[in-house]
Amino acid sequence: MTETRLKEKDKPWLMRTYSGYASAAESNQLYRSNLAKGQTGLSIAFDLPTQTGYDSDHPFSYGEVGKLGVPMRNLEDMECLFDQIPMAQMNTSMTINAPAAWLFALYLTAASRQNANIADLRGTLQNDILKEYLSRGTYIFPPAISMRLSAEVISYAVRNVPKWNPINICSYHLQESGATPVQELAFSLANAIAVLDEVKKLGQVTDAQFPSVVGRISFFLNAGIRFVEEMCKVRAFDTLWDRICLERYHVQDPKLRRFRYGIQVNSLGLSDRQPENNVARIIYEMLGVVLTGRARARSVQLPAWNEALGLPRKWDQQWSLRLQQILAFETDLLEYPDLFEGSPVIAQKEKELTEAATAELQKILEMGGAVAAIENGYMKRRLVESNAIRLGNIENGQQTVVGVNKFCDGELSPLVEGMERAFLTVDDAVEAEQISTLQAFRQKRDAAKVEEALDALKQGVRDGRNIVEVSMACAEAGVTTGEWTDALRAMFGEYRAPTGVDGLSLPMETKTENYKVIEKVKKLNARLGRNLKILIGKPGLDGHSNGAEQIAVKARDVGMEVVYEGIRLTPEQIAETALQEGVHVIGLSILSGSHTRLVPEVSRCLAQRGLSDLPIVLGGIIPEADVRQMNIPAVKKVYAPKDYQLNQIMWEIVDIVAAAHHIDMADGD
């Protein structure tokens, strides 16, 4: 080999697909199939009830069971999920946050029942609760207690499961919520500092063990389409993390200061228009985090080409896996050292990002750190603002998205042509089956042991015992996810995070279309005798609020009165708010696939209050076939992610309200 080549090839990264749906048994079959195709790790998706601490039969779980992941209610489910999959040999990533201690306890208990030595288990918990208040919305408890629970999971893992990553600080969802590279860097590092400071304050690890805590911190990043910038972002992460570990936490061992991260490439940029183009986007985004040897991802999971349409099928997941395998095993990428070391272009961009992120991080630390910047709404407002600017740039053409706002004409895709659904759907019957399974489980367990375990859980928390230790006893006793969470809810309460919409001021657009919309809203306001009032509601457990936030900001900026109470509302609450607020139109945002259950339920609750004719507009990934199936006359319009022109959406909402009030907008004032 020449001097420029490595003595040995770099090892390929872990190859995963983020998956799980319907039931533990169905997901087990999917995992075993993917592993047989060459996948080298598991990345488990849990359904929204599990992520937010509800059992499948809780009213909040209605329409959500098994839709976006696997329901995980008890130890029996966890054992079924890993049937014939040796947990001692598997590297498992679990996307779970608020109830991370509980899911970790179920996992460890199931592994012990497989006779695995838990000290040898390898894998990762997401467990980054702070970003949930900013993006995904699957938080449960107030930030302070959530941080304590995360710190206890980390402390337990470092002492008992030393090869496990007990948290990955997750910037992925920050970018999905509109974060710029600088915000990704600063917000994520602020979160990591808050976590480490909490572990130190908790005192469940010694000073001698603390460098090992730092060494087990991992990150989960997002790679967007600007792959040079994304590559430099990762290199900046590497530099800044090393600096923080050394200067703030005095970790001397370079191995323990290593920036260790996994990646999923950007799903925000995937399009349901010309969806075949998404394959190119996925490949280019992956290159940004594997080409640079100095900061190469050690775990990669790719979305499927059709994720903007719905859940990927087995074949779609296989295609994403093959994209990774071709790059890792057919090309010579892993035979060479860092291809970009010494590049003045890369060095300059890295320097710019590092300096800007350092300044933003310092600003957050001066506020009191990440928790304070979440509670005062600062970080959420910045994300909503950045996302609004991004969408505005797409709408006005400053940012090109091929097939969406430019080069839109083309042939129909043979991948979707003639197909009503080019993606996986989860039958609504799954929910009834899972409720039946759960109820049968409750019937056969020892109720006295369950109560005893829950009492011990609450007493253990009061006494300061580690949450994982007391939760493992609950797992053995047959406690369910909802029961575990309810015990802690009773002790600590719940929390509603700032929406980021209130008080946000965006630069006024100067283009003609914006002025036209403002004038049209003024005209209708005059005809109505008061301001057009829109209620934006997110029924169910879907916490992805980006679209709802952008509609709220835009509606207010063009002169509408906006009622937006954030995520996780029941249909009953939405209908009651509509009545009490006297709104003219309701906008429902649902991205979890539960629209066929939740929209009819909202409609039913409105009818009970005499509001059956109140116009409804829907936002989300909602196929036309589902709209026909629901057959709700009050639903006047459905907007998909491809409908990025917010001025046009506002214009059409004005027309919908005018029609509902028999106002002809062509008439004079």
Side-chain angles (χ1 to χ4, degrees):
M1 300 178 79
T2 65
E3 290 183 359
T4 60
R5 300 182 72 172
L6 297 174
K7 292 182 180 180
E8 296 181 1
K9 283 188 178 183
D10 192 7
K11 293 180 180 179
W13 49 89
L14 273 172
M15 298 182 188
R16 294 177 167 130
T17 53
Y18 177 56
S19 55
Y21 72 102
S23 68
E26 287 280 345
S27 298
N28 171 264
Q29 292 294 323
L30 175 64
Y31 297 162
R32 287 161 58 189
S33 173
N34 286 346
L35 290 168
K37 294 170 184 173
Q39 187 173 299
T40 53
L42 292 180
S43 180
I44 300 175
F46 297 104
D47 71 356
L48 286 175
T50 302
Q51 293 186 50
T52 48
Y54 294 107
D55 283 334
S56 299
D57 56 354
H58 191 280
F60 253 132
S61 301
Y62 181 78
E64 307 279 17
V65 177
K67 285 288 172 67
L68 292 182
V70 56
M72 185 56 54
R73 291 79 50 89
N74 49 54
L75 181 57
E76 192 173 88
D77 284 341
M78 187 66 80
E79 289 186 291
C80 178
L81 189 66
F82 283 91
D83 180 41
Q84 300 181 59
I85 299 175
M87 299 169 79
Q89 300 171 26
M90 187 52 53
N91 193 306
T92 304
S93 171
M94 293 191 283
T95 298
I96 197 70
N97 297 281
W102 173 241
L103 271 294
F104 196 34
L106 290 177
Y107 186 87
L108 295 176
T109 306
S112 295
R113 289 192 172 192
Q114 281 193 0
N115 296 317
N117 181 350
I118 67 169
D120 293 330
L121 294 177
R122 294 179 181 271
T124 302
L125 288 171
Q126 194 163 108
N127 194 28
D128 175 12
I129 194 61
L130 291 183
K131 62 91 176 54
E132 295 300 312
Y133 301 104
L134 300 173
S135 51
R136 294 179 72 248
T138 66
Y139 57 83
I140 300 172
F141 311 112
I145 185 58
S146 295
M147 289 294 287
R148 171 185 156 187
L149 294 176
S150 290
E152 290 193 16
V153 170
I154 293 166
S155 300
Y156 180 89
V158 168
R159 296 196 314 264
N160 299 284
V161 201
K163 298 176 183 177
W164 191 275
N165 301 319
I167 190 170
N168 59 17
I169 306 298
C170 187
S171 78
Y172 176 85
H173 301 96
L174 301 182
Q175 187 178 127
E176 296 287 298
S177 297
T180 65
V182 168
Q183 289 169 342
E184 263 193 85
L185 285 158
F187 291 7
S188 299
L189 293 171
N191 286 1
I193 288 171
V195 167
L196 286 173
D197 287 355
E198 182 70 19
V199 173
K200 185 176 277 287
K201 182 178 77 172
L202 186 66
Q204 292 188 3
V205 296
T206 65
D207 289 344
Q209 291 172 316
F210 192 76
S212 296
V213 175
V214 177
R216 295 319 301 173
I217 299 290
S218 64
F219 290 76
F220 185 65
L221 308 188
N222 195 332
I225 195 65
R226 294 171 59 83
F227 73 83
V228 172
E229 186 171 60
E230 295 293 340
M231 180 191 306
C232 294
K233 177 188 76 180
V234 174
R235 294 166 73 96
F237 259 125
D238 183 58
T239 297
L240 288 169
W241 182 241
D242 183 79
R243 185 183 301 167
I244 289 168
C245 293
L246 182 61
E247 296 178 0
R248 187 180 181 94
Y249 299 111
H250 312 294
V251 177
Q252 301 302 314
D253 186 345
K255 291 182 180 179
L256 298 179
R257 301 198 305 264
R258 186 179 300 155
F259 181 70
R260 301 179 307 111
Y261 76 101
I263 193 98
Q264 175 161 319
V265 307
N266 186 280
S267 293
L268 180 67
L270 301 183
S271 172
D272 57 351
R273 292 185 180 181
Q274 299 182 14
E276 64 277 8
N277 295 340
N278 291 331
V279 177
R281 293 185 177 105
I282 290 166
I283 292 173
Y284 296 148
E285 289 166 354
M286 176 173 56
L287 290 177
V289 293
V290 297
L291 284 180
T292 177
R294 186 188 108 197
R296 178 173 292 135
R298 300 317 310 174
S299 171
V300 177
Q301 56 191 52
L302 302 182
W305 69 277
N306 57 346
E307 283 197 18
L309 304 174
L311 284 175
R313 302 157 298 191
K314 289 183 180 180
W315 182 86
D316 306 315
Q317 292 188 15
Q318 174 184 292
W319 194 3
S320 286
L321 176 62
R322 296 292 183 251
L323 298 179
Q324 293 195 60
Q325 290 169 330
I326 290 168
L327 183 61
F329 299 114
E330 290 193 29
T331 77
D332 59 354
L333 172 66
L334 299 179
E335 297 176 15
Y336 292 88
D338 196 301
L339 305 176
F340 295 92
E341 202 64 47
S343 164
V345 173
I346 299 297
Q348 179 59 31
K349 185 63 179 177
E350 181 184 338
K351 179 174 180 290
E352 291 171 3
L353 290 173
T354 301
E355 291 176 351
T358 298
E360 179 68 13
L361 174 60
Q362 186 58 36
K363 184 175 183 179
I364 293 169
L365 294 178
E366 288 171 359
M367 289 179 188
V371 173
I374 287 169
E375 291 176 334
N376 68 23
Y378 171 75
M379 288 201 282
K380 183 65 174 179
R381 279 196 308 275
R382 290 297 308 274
L383 291 176
V384 174
E385 180 182 29
S386 296
N387 205 21
I389 293 170
R390 182 188 69 85
L391 287 172
N393 288 339
I394 294 173
E395 185 171 4
N396 63 32
Q398 291 185 41
Q399 179 176 333
T400 296
V401 182
V402 173
V404 175
N405 66 351
K406 198 170 185 179
F407 312 117
C408 299
D409 295 334
E411 303 298 326
L412 289 175
S413 169
L415 296 176
V416 298
E417 186 178 3
M419 300 179 66
E420 190 165 72
R421 283 187 171 90
F423 51 89
L424 176 71
T425 57
V426 177
D427 196 300
D428 285 341
V430 163
E431 186 164 306
E433 294 169 1
Q434 289 303 296
I435 290 173
S436 176
T437 302
L438 175 62
Q439 291 173 344
F441 173 81
R442 290 199 190 108
Q443 288 294 321
K444 69 183 181 184
R445 66 186 182 173
D446 187 328
K449 285 186 177 179
V450 170
E451 287 304 314
E452 183 180 333
L454 287 171
D455 288 342
L457 169 69
K458 289 181 277 192
Q459 188 60 49
V461 170
R462 284 192 287 266
D463 293 344
R465 290 185 61 196
N466 186 278
I467 188 65
V468 179
E469 293 175 358
V470 292
S471 297
M472 289 177 73
C474 287
E476 288 280 10
V479 169
T480 68
T481 296
E483 291 164 345
W484 181 90
T485 312
D486 283 346
L488 298 187
R489 281 191 178 100
M491 298 179 73
F492 303 122
E494 291 190 90
Y495 182 75
R496 292 194 71 81
T499 65
V501 170
D502 296 335
L504 180 64
S505 179
L506 298 177
M508 176 61 71
E509 295 179 70
T510 57
K511 59 185 202 170
T512 304
E513 290 83 354
N514 196 61
Y515 288 130
K516 286 182 177 179
V517 173
I518 292 172
E519 290 304 312
K520 188 170 185 176
V521 172
K522 285 180 180 178
K523 183 178 179 180
L524 181 57
N525 289 347
R527 300 289 295 276
L528 291 170
R530 63 187 179 99
N531 286 350
L532 188 163
K533 198 171 192 179
I534 181 171
L535 167 62
I536 298 170
K538 287 200 62 67
L541 299 176
D542 169 32
H544 289 87
S545 57
N546 301 337
E549 291 156 2
Q550 295 307 312
I551 293 294
V553 170
K554 184 67 176 182
R556 190 191 61 198
D557 284 356
V558 299
M560 298 182 192
E561 189 173 343
V562 176
V563 180
Y564 176 55
E565 298 173 329
I567 62 171
R568 225 180 296 170
L569 300 170
T570 65
E572 190 83 16
Q573 288 171 320
I574 290 171
E576 185 61 23
T577 298
L579 176 65
Q580 297 300 325
E581 292 284 349
V583 301
H584 298 101
V585 60
I586 296 177
L588 298 179
S589 169
I590 306 173
L591 291 164
S592 63
S594 58
H595 47 268
T596 57
R597 306 289 296 280
L598 291 175
V599 176
E601 186 63 13
V602 171
S603 178
R604 185 187 68 79
C605 292
L606 288 170
Q608 287 180 337
R609 291 162 174 78
L611 299 175
S612 56
D613 294 330
L614 185 65
I616 299 172
V617 294
L618 305 181
I621 303 171
I622 303 175
E624 178 59 34
D626 289 354
V627 178
R628 293 195 300 269
Q629 174 192 329
M630 291 186 289
N631 190 27
I632 300 173
V635 173
K636 304 301 182 184
K637 190 75 177 179
V638 178
Y639 295 103
K642 65 185 177 184
D643 299 305
Y644 61 90
Q645 295 175 315
L646 297 185
N647 280 314
Q648 181 65 29
I649 291 173
M650 295 299 113
W651 186 277
E652 291 171 355
I653 288 175
V654 171
D655 286 339
I656 288 168
V657 173
H661 289 264
H662 309 290
I663 296 172
D664 185 352
M665 293 300 290
D667 290 345
D669 294 334

